[in-house]
């Protein structure tokens, strides 16, 4: 079931922006936006439409998940000891393999790191030189274009 405002919008959707703009001009709303981490201090048109039409976000599923998680924590329905032991074994095995890989390939990894640093430094120096040359080229183009325009104006006097 829609609110009377929602029903009116169904009949005259073109009037929506006028209504929302009039609401802003007429008064300053003290209703805060329901979304967290908002940098804006005022409501947006969208949030005003949502509030006026009554089409708020449904958070019942989120609330049910939180309730279920809290109930499981209270019941102690976590993972069994055997499952935790198998998970720890798997994590330790993967960590040991990764450590062994790093030890065996440390020379290659060091060379790759040094090469990447050299490529980055060359790119940065090229990029700086390119920016300087672009600035000089723009200056030359500006001077030549000005000269050509002044020459054309003298010719048409």
């Amino acid at each position: 079931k829609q609110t009377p405002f929602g029903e009116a919008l169904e009949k005259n959707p073109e009037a929506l922006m006028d209504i929302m703009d009039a609401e802003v001009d007429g008064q300053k709303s003290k209703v805060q936006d329901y979304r967290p981490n908002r940098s804006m201090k005022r409501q947006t048109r969208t949030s005003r439409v949502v509030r006026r039409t009554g089409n708020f976000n449904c958070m019942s599923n989120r609330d049910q998940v939180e309730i279920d998680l809290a109930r499981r924590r209270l019941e102690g329905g976590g993972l069994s000891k055997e499952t935790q032991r198998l998970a720890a074994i798997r994590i330790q095995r993967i960590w040991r393999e990764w450590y062994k890989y790093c030890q065996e390939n440390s020379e290659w990894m060091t060379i790759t790191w040094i090469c990447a640093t050299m490529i980055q430094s060359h790119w940065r120096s090229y990029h700086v030189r390119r920016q300087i040359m672009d600035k000089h080229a723009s200056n030359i183009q500006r001077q030549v274009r000005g000269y050509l325009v002044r020459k054309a104006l003298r010719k048409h006097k």
Side-chain angles (χ1 to χ4, degrees):
K1 183 175 186 280
Q2 285 189 330
T3 62
F5 182 71
E7 291 173 5
L9 282 179
E10 288 291 325
K11 294 176 186 169
N12 301 313
E14 66 277 354
L16 175 66
M17 288 301 125
D18 296 332
I19 294 169
M20 291 297 119
D21 289 337
E23 183 178 291
V24 171
D25 296 338
Q27 61 191 4
K28 199 168 192 180
S29 175
K30 293 190 179 188
V31 177
Q32 292 296 318
D33 203 341
Y34 61 88
R35 294 171 287 178
N37 303 324
R38 291 285 293 168
S39 59
M40 295 176 63
K41 299 297 181 200
R42 61 182 178 80
Q43 290 183 327
T44 61
R45 281 182 176 174
T46 305
S47 63
R48 287 195 307 271
V49 169
V50 166
R51 184 172 48 84
R52 293 282 300 270
T53 57
N55 294 326
F56 291 104
N57 289 345
C58 177
M59 299 182 189
S60 58
N61 184 48
R62 182 203 62 182
D63 296 339
Q64 187 62 43
V65 168
E66 288 179 356
I67 291 169
D68 290 345
L69 287 174
R71 190 181 72 240
R72 283 190 207 145
R73 276 190 225 111
L74 290 175
E75 293 173 356
L79 300 174
S80 68
K81 295 291 182 186
E82 180 62 21
T83 305
Q84 289 179 355
R85 188 181 71 79
L86 291 174
I89 289 171
R90 181 176 290 169
I91 291 169
Q92 290 170 357
R93 184 179 70 238
I94 291 171
W95 167 251
R96 288 185 186 114
E97 289 173 0
W98 170 251
Y99 185 75
K100 182 181 173 186
Y101 171 81
C102 289
Q103 294 299 316
E104 291 172 354
N105 297 303
S106 64
E107 184 177 346
W108 177 81
M109 292 168 83
T110 303
I111 291 170
T112 305
W113 176 69
I114 292 170
C115 292
T117 305
M118 287 176 60
I119 291 169
Q120 290 168 1
S121 67
H122 284 285
W123 164 253
R124 281 191 212 104
S125 64
Y126 161 77
H127 189 63
V128 168
R129 282 194 315 272
R130 177 66 190 262
Q131 285 179 325
I132 292 170
M133 296 303 281
D134 285 349
K135 190 189 300 182
H136 292 312
S138 296
N139 285 338
I140 292 170
Q141 289 171 358
R142 189 181 70 227
Q143 296 293 328
V144 169
R145 287 180 182 141
Y147 168 76
L148 292 173
V149 168
R150 286 188 294 276
K151 182 179 173 184
L153 287 175
R154 275 194 303 267
K155 182 178 177 182
H156 292 295
K157 271 189 174 182

PDB file of all heavy atoms in Angstrom, residues 124-146:
ATOM      1  N   ARG A 124      59.679   7.655 -14.602  1.00  0.00           N
ATOM      2  CA  ARG A 124      59.462   8.946 -13.948  1.00  0.00           C
ATOM      3  C   ARG A 124      60.298  10.043 -14.589  1.00  0.00           C
ATOM      4  O   ARG A 124      59.805  11.145 -14.836  1.00  0.00           O
ATOM      5  CB  ARG A 124      59.792   8.831 -12.456  1.00  0.00           C
ATOM      6  CG  ARG A 124      58.704   8.179 -11.655  1.00  0.00           C
ATOM      7  CD  ARG A 124      58.972   8.330 -10.160  1.00  0.00           C
ATOM      8  NE  ARG A 124      58.448   7.164  -9.476  1.00  0.00           N
ATOM      9  CZ  ARG A 124      59.165   6.158  -9.002  1.00  0.00           C
ATOM     10  NH1 ARG A 124      60.477   6.180  -9.093  1.00  0.00           N
ATOM     11  NH2 ARG A 124      58.596   5.139  -8.425  1.00  0.00           N
ATOM     12  N   SER A 125      61.570   9.749 -14.875  1.00  0.00           N
ATOM     13  CA  SER A 125      62.421  10.784 -15.477  1.00  0.00           C
ATOM     14  C   SER A 125      61.925  11.125 -16.887  1.00  0.00           C
ATOM     15  O   SER A 125      61.902  12.298 -17.279  1.00  0.00           O
ATOM     16  CB  SER A 125      63.879  10.345 -15.502  1.00  0.00           C
ATOM     17  OG  SER A 125      64.045   9.210 -16.325  1.00  0.00           O
ATOM     18  N   TYR A 126      61.505  10.106 -17.669  1.00  0.00           N
ATOM     19  CA  TYR A 126      60.948  10.367 -18.989  1.00  0.00           C
ATOM     20  C   TYR A 126      59.693  11.223 -18.872  1.00  0.00           C
ATOM     21  O   TYR A 126      59.508  12.181 -19.637  1.00  0.00           O
ATOM     22  CB  TYR A 126      60.612   9.051 -19.696  1.00  0.00           C
ATOM     23  CG  TYR A 126      59.641   9.226 -20.835  1.00  0.00           C
ATOM     24  CD1 TYR A 126      60.066   9.748 -22.052  1.00  0.00           C
ATOM     25  CD2 TYR A 126      58.295   8.910 -20.681  1.00  0.00           C
ATOM     26  CE1 TYR A 126      59.168   9.933 -23.095  1.00  0.00           C
ATOM     27  CE2 TYR A 126      57.394   9.096 -21.706  1.00  0.00           C
ATOM     28  CZ  TYR A 126      57.839   9.602 -22.911  1.00  0.00           C
ATOM     29  OH  TYR A 126      56.958   9.794 -23.928  1.00  0.00           O
ATOM     30  N   HIS A 127      58.842  10.889 -17.907  1.00  0.00           N
ATOM     31  CA  HIS A 127      57.582  11.601 -17.759  1.00  0.00           C
ATOM     32  C   HIS A 127      57.828  13.072 -17.405  1.00  0.00           C
ATOM     33  O   HIS A 127      57.166  13.968 -17.961  1.00  0.00           O
ATOM     34  CB  HIS A 127      56.738  10.929 -16.681  1.00  0.00           C
ATOM     35  CG  HIS A 127      55.344  11.448 -16.586  1.00  0.00           C
ATOM     36  ND1 HIS A 127      54.442  11.341 -17.614  1.00  0.00           N
ATOM     37  CD2 HIS A 127      54.693  12.087 -15.595  1.00  0.00           C
ATOM     38  CE1 HIS A 127      53.293  11.895 -17.257  1.00  0.00           C
ATOM     39  NE2 HIS A 127      53.425  12.354 -16.027  1.00  0.00           N
ATOM     40  N   VAL A 128      58.783  13.340 -16.530  1.00  0.00           N
ATOM     41  CA  VAL A 128      59.107  14.726 -16.170  1.00  0.00           C
ATOM     42  C   VAL A 128      59.652  15.466 -17.380  1.00  0.00           C
ATOM     43  O   VAL A 128      59.251  16.594 -17.669  1.00  0.00           O
ATOM     44  CB  VAL A 128      60.099  14.755 -14.992  1.00  0.00           C
ATOM     45  CG1 VAL A 128      60.665  16.145 -14.785  1.00  0.00           C
ATOM     46  CG2 VAL A 128      59.422  14.256 -13.724  1.00  0.00           C
ATOM     47  N   ARG A 129      60.581  14.814 -18.099  1.00  0.00           N
ATOM     48  CA  ARG A 129      61.132  15.458 -19.305  1.00  0.00           C
ATOM     49  C   ARG A 129      60.029  15.730 -20.312  1.00  0.00           C
ATOM     50  O   ARG A 129      59.979  16.793 -20.942  1.00  0.00           O
ATOM     51  CB  ARG A 129      62.197  14.560 -19.949  1.00  0.00           C
ATOM     52  CG  ARG A 129      63.530  14.580 -19.265  1.00  0.00           C
ATOM     53  CD  ARG A 129      64.637  13.959 -20.117  1.00  0.00           C
ATOM     54  NE  ARG A 129      64.280  12.699 -20.753  1.00  0.00           N
ATOM     55  CZ  ARG A 129      64.421  11.501 -20.198  1.00  0.00           C
ATOM     56  NH1 ARG A 129      64.907  11.382 -18.994  1.00  0.00           N
ATOM     57  NH2 ARG A 129      64.076  10.416 -20.856  1.00  0.00           N
ATOM     58  N   ARG A 130      59.118  14.791 -20.472  1.00  0.00           N
ATOM     59  CA  ARG A 130      58.024  14.944 -21.428  1.00  0.00           C
ATOM     60  C   ARG A 130      57.111  16.103 -21.037  1.00  0.00           C
ATOM     61  O   ARG A 130      56.682  16.882 -21.897  1.00  0.00           O
ATOM     62  CB  ARG A 130      57.222  13.634 -21.495  1.00  0.00           C
ATOM     63  CG  ARG A 130      56.020  13.676 -22.399  1.00  0.00           C
ATOM     64  CD  ARG A 130      56.434  13.834 -23.860  1.00  0.00           C
ATOM     65  NE  ARG A 130      55.314  14.099 -24.691  1.00  0.00           N
ATOM     66  CZ  ARG A 130      54.683  13.176 -25.410  1.00  0.00           C
ATOM     67  NH1 ARG A 130      55.085  11.936 -25.401  1.00  0.00           N
ATOM     68  NH2 ARG A 130      53.651  13.516 -26.149  1.00  0.00           N
ATOM     69  N   GLN A 131      56.827  16.250 -19.750  1.00  0.00           N
ATOM     70  CA  GLN A 131      55.990  17.360 -19.306  1.00  0.00           C
ATOM     71  C   GLN A 131      56.665  18.702 -19.594  1.00  0.00           C
ATOM     72  O   GLN A 131      56.013  19.647 -20.046  1.00  0.00           O
ATOM     73  CB  GLN A 131      55.691  17.242 -17.806  1.00  0.00           C
ATOM     74  CG  GLN A 131      54.672  16.182 -17.485  1.00  0.00           C
ATOM     75  CD  GLN A 131      54.411  16.076 -16.005  1.00  0.00           C
ATOM     76  OE1 GLN A 131      55.303  16.253 -15.181  1.00  0.00           O
ATOM     77  NE2 GLN A 131      53.170  15.781 -15.649  1.00  0.00           N
ATOM     78  N   ILE A 132      57.971  18.773 -19.345  1.00  0.00           N
ATOM     79  CA  ILE A 132      58.705  20.025 -19.618  1.00  0.00           C
ATOM     80  C   ILE A 132      58.686  20.324 -21.111  1.00  0.00           C
ATOM     81  O   ILE A 132      58.430  21.464 -21.532  1.00  0.00           O
ATOM     82  CB  ILE A 132      60.153  19.927 -19.081  1.00  0.00           C
ATOM     83  CG1 ILE A 132      60.127  19.881 -17.548  1.00  0.00           C
ATOM     84  CG2 ILE A 132      61.001  21.081 -19.571  1.00  0.00           C
ATOM     85  CD1 ILE A 132      61.463  19.538 -16.921  1.00  0.00           C
ATOM     86  N   MET A 133      58.948  19.285 -21.937  1.00  0.00           N
ATOM     87  CA  MET A 133      58.961  19.493 -23.386  1.00  0.00           C
ATOM     88  C   MET A 133      57.568  19.867 -23.902  1.00  0.00           C
ATOM     89  O   MET A 133      57.441  20.712 -24.796  1.00  0.00           O
ATOM     90  CB  MET A 133      59.464  18.236 -24.100  1.00  0.00           C
ATOM     91  CG  MET A 133      60.909  17.886 -23.771  1.00  0.00           C
ATOM     92  SD  MET A 133      62.056  19.220 -24.133  1.00  0.00           S
ATOM     93  CE  MET A 133      62.220  19.015 -25.871  1.00  0.00           C
ATOM     94  N   ASP A 134      56.515  19.263 -23.326  1.00  0.00           N
ATOM     95  CA  ASP A 134      55.155  19.621 -23.719  1.00  0.00           C
ATOM     96  C   ASP A 134      54.851  21.077 -23.394  1.00  0.00           C
ATOM     97  O   ASP A 134      54.202  21.782 -24.176  1.00  0.00           O
ATOM     98  CB  ASP A 134      54.141  18.713 -23.031  1.00  0.00           C
ATOM     99  CG  ASP A 134      54.090  17.320 -23.637  1.00  0.00           C
ATOM    100  OD1 ASP A 134      54.682  17.124 -24.715  1.00  0.00           O
ATOM    101  OD2 ASP A 134      53.458  16.436 -23.026  1.00  0.00           O
ATOM    102  N   LYS A 135      55.325  21.538 -22.237  1.00  0.00           N
ATOM    103  CA  LYS A 135      55.094  22.932 -21.858  1.00  0.00           C
ATOM    104  C   LYS A 135      55.808  23.872 -22.835  1.00  0.00           C
ATOM    105  O   LYS A 135      55.240  24.868 -23.279  1.00  0.00           O
ATOM    106  CB  LYS A 135      55.600  23.177 -20.437  1.00  0.00           C
ATOM    107  CG  LYS A 135      55.183  24.531 -19.889  1.00  0.00           C
ATOM    108  CD  LYS A 135      55.846  24.875 -18.564  1.00  0.00           C
ATOM    109  CE  LYS A 135      55.525  23.884 -17.495  1.00  0.00           C
ATOM    110  NZ  LYS A 135      56.125  24.234 -16.193  1.00  0.00           N
ATOM    111  N   HIS A 136      57.055  23.532 -23.203  1.00  0.00           N
ATOM    112  CA  HIS A 136      57.783  24.361 -24.165  1.00  0.00           C
ATOM    113  C   HIS A 136      57.110  24.339 -25.541  1.00  0.00           C
ATOM    114  O   HIS A 136      57.019  25.374 -26.214  1.00  0.00           O
ATOM    115  CB  HIS A 136      59.237  23.900 -24.285  1.00  0.00           C
ATOM    116  CG  HIS A 136      60.056  24.148 -23.055  1.00  0.00           C
ATOM    117  ND1 HIS A 136      60.084  25.354 -22.390  1.00  0.00           N
ATOM    118  CD2 HIS A 136      60.879  23.338 -22.366  1.00  0.00           C
ATOM    119  CE1 HIS A 136      60.888  25.279 -21.354  1.00  0.00           C
ATOM    120  NE2 HIS A 136      61.392  24.051 -21.307  1.00  0.00           N
ATOM    121  N   ALA A 137      56.637  23.148 -25.955  1.00  0.00           N
ATOM    122  CA  ALA A 137      55.950  23.044 -27.243  1.00  0.00           C
ATOM    123  C   ALA A 137      54.678  23.893 -27.236  1.00  0.00           C
ATOM    124  O   ALA A 137      54.369  24.558 -28.239  1.00  0.00           O
ATOM    125  CB  ALA A 137      55.617  21.585 -27.548  1.00  0.00           C
ATOM    126  N   SER A 138      53.950  23.896 -26.126  1.00  0.00           N
ATOM    127  CA  SER A 138      52.744  24.723 -26.036  1.00  0.00           C
ATOM    128  C   SER A 138      53.085  26.201 -26.148  1.00  0.00           C
ATOM    129  O   SER A 138      52.363  26.970 -26.790  1.00  0.00           O
ATOM    130  CB  SER A 138      52.020  24.458 -24.714  1.00  0.00           C
ATOM    131  OG  SER A 138      51.559  23.134 -24.665  1.00  0.00           O
ATOM    132  N   ASN A 139      54.182  26.606 -25.519  1.00  0.00           N
ATOM    133  CA  ASN A 139      54.604  28.005 -25.617  1.00  0.00           C
ATOM    134  C   ASN A 139      54.934  28.379 -27.067  1.00  0.00           C
ATOM    135  O   ASN A 139      54.540  29.441 -27.549  1.00  0.00           O
ATOM    136  CB  ASN A 139      55.811  28.274 -24.714  1.00  0.00           C
ATOM    137  CG  ASN A 139      55.425  28.337 -23.259  1.00  0.00           C
ATOM    138  OD1 ASN A 139      54.269  28.579 -22.930  1.00  0.00           O
ATOM    139  ND2 ASN A 139      56.380  28.102 -22.378  1.00  0.00           N
ATOM    140  N   ILE A 140      55.662  27.482 -27.749  1.00  0.00           N
ATOM    141  CA  ILE A 140      56.015  27.749 -29.151  1.00  0.00           C
ATOM    142  C   ILE A 140      54.750  27.828 -30.006  1.00  0.00           C
ATOM    143  O   ILE A 140      54.596  28.738 -30.834  1.00  0.00           O
ATOM    144  CB  ILE A 140      56.973  26.655 -29.676  1.00  0.00           C
ATOM    145  CG1 ILE A 140      58.330  26.775 -28.969  1.00  0.00           C
ATOM    146  CG2 ILE A 140      57.145  26.768 -31.191  1.00  0.00           C
ATOM    147  CD1 ILE A 140      59.253  25.597 -29.234  1.00  0.00           C
ATOM    148  N   GLN A 141      53.824  26.878 -29.805  1.00  0.00           N
ATOM    149  CA  GLN A 141      52.574  26.885 -30.561  1.00  0.00           C
ATOM    150  C   GLN A 141      51.785  28.165 -30.300  1.00  0.00           C
ATOM    151  O   GLN A 141      51.216  28.760 -31.223  1.00  0.00           O
ATOM    152  CB  GLN A 141      51.726  25.667 -30.187  1.00  0.00           C
ATOM    153  CG  GLN A 141      52.285  24.360 -30.698  1.00  0.00           C
ATOM    154  CD  GLN A 141      51.543  23.160 -30.127  1.00  0.00           C
ATOM    155  OE1 GLN A 141      50.641  23.314 -29.313  1.00  0.00           O
ATOM    156  NE2 GLN A 141      51.934  21.970 -30.561  1.00  0.00           N
ATOM    157  N   ARG A 142      51.742  28.603 -29.040  1.00  0.00           N
ATOM    158  CA  ARG A 142      51.012  29.823 -28.706  1.00  0.00           C
ATOM    159  C   ARG A 142      51.623  31.023 -29.420  1.00  0.00           C
ATOM    160  O   ARG A 142      50.911  31.863 -29.989  1.00  0.00           O
ATOM    161  CB  ARG A 142      51.043  30.028 -27.188  1.00  0.00           C
ATOM    162  CG  ARG A 142      50.134  31.146 -26.725  1.00  0.00           C
ATOM    163  CD  ARG A 142      50.193  31.352 -25.232  1.00  0.00           C
ATOM    164  NE  ARG A 142      51.481  31.923 -24.880  1.00  0.00           N
ATOM    165  CZ  ARG A 142      52.269  31.498 -23.893  1.00  0.00           C
ATOM    166  NH1 ARG A 142      51.903  30.483 -23.160  1.00  0.00           N
ATOM    167  NH2 ARG A 142      53.411  32.084 -23.650  1.00  0.00           N
ATOM    168  N   GLN A 143      52.960  31.099 -29.425  1.00  0.00           N
ATOM    169  CA  GLN A 143      53.633  32.219 -30.087  1.00  0.00           C
ATOM    170  C   GLN A 143      53.360  32.212 -31.595  1.00  0.00           C
ATOM    171  O   GLN A 143      53.062  33.252 -32.188  1.00  0.00           O
ATOM    172  CB  GLN A 143      55.143  32.163 -29.823  1.00  0.00           C
ATOM    173  CG  GLN A 143      55.542  32.329 -28.374  1.00  0.00           C
ATOM    174  CD  GLN A 143      55.251  33.713 -27.851  1.00  0.00           C
ATOM    175  OE1 GLN A 143      55.308  34.702 -28.593  1.00  0.00           O
ATOM    176  NE2 GLN A 143      54.911  33.795 -26.578  1.00  0.00           N
ATOM    177  N   VAL A 144      53.459  31.023 -32.220  1.00  0.00           N
ATOM    178  CA  VAL A 144      53.268  30.927 -33.664  1.00  0.00           C
ATOM    179  C   VAL A 144      51.825  31.255 -34.034  1.00  0.00           C
ATOM    180  O   VAL A 144      51.568  31.987 -35.004  1.00  0.00           O
ATOM    181  CB  VAL A 144      53.675  29.524 -34.177  1.00  0.00           C
ATOM    182  CG1 VAL A 144      53.241  29.323 -35.613  1.00  0.00           C
ATOM    183  CG2 VAL A 144      55.172  29.337 -34.045  1.00  0.00           C
ATOM    184  N   ARG A 145      50.867  30.739 -33.261  1.00  0.00           N
ATOM    185  CA  ARG A 145      49.464  31.025 -33.554  1.00  0.00           C
ATOM    186  C   ARG A 145      49.169  32.519 -33.423  1.00  0.00           C
ATOM    187  O   ARG A 145      48.445  33.105 -34.238  1.00  0.00           O
ATOM    188  CB  ARG A 145      48.555  30.230 -32.625  1.00  0.00           C
ATOM    189  CG  ARG A 145      48.522  28.758 -32.964  1.00  0.00           C
ATOM    190  CD  ARG A 145      47.621  27.993 -32.033  1.00  0.00           C
ATOM    191  NE  ARG A 145      47.654  26.578 -32.369  1.00  0.00           N
ATOM    192  CZ  ARG A 145      47.644  25.605 -31.493  1.00  0.00           C
ATOM    193  NH1 ARG A 145      47.589  25.879 -30.207  1.00  0.00           N
ATOM    194  NH2 ARG A 145      47.672  24.351 -31.887  1.00  0.00           N
ATOM    195  N   GLY A 146      49.742  33.145 -32.369  1.00  0.00           N
ATOM    196  CA  GLY A 146      49.562  34.590 -32.208  1.00  0.00           C
ATOM    197  C   GLY A 146      50.144  35.348 -33.385  1.00  0.00           C
ATOM    198  O   GLY A 146      49.537  36.300 -33.896  1.00  0.00           O
TER     199      GLY A 146
END
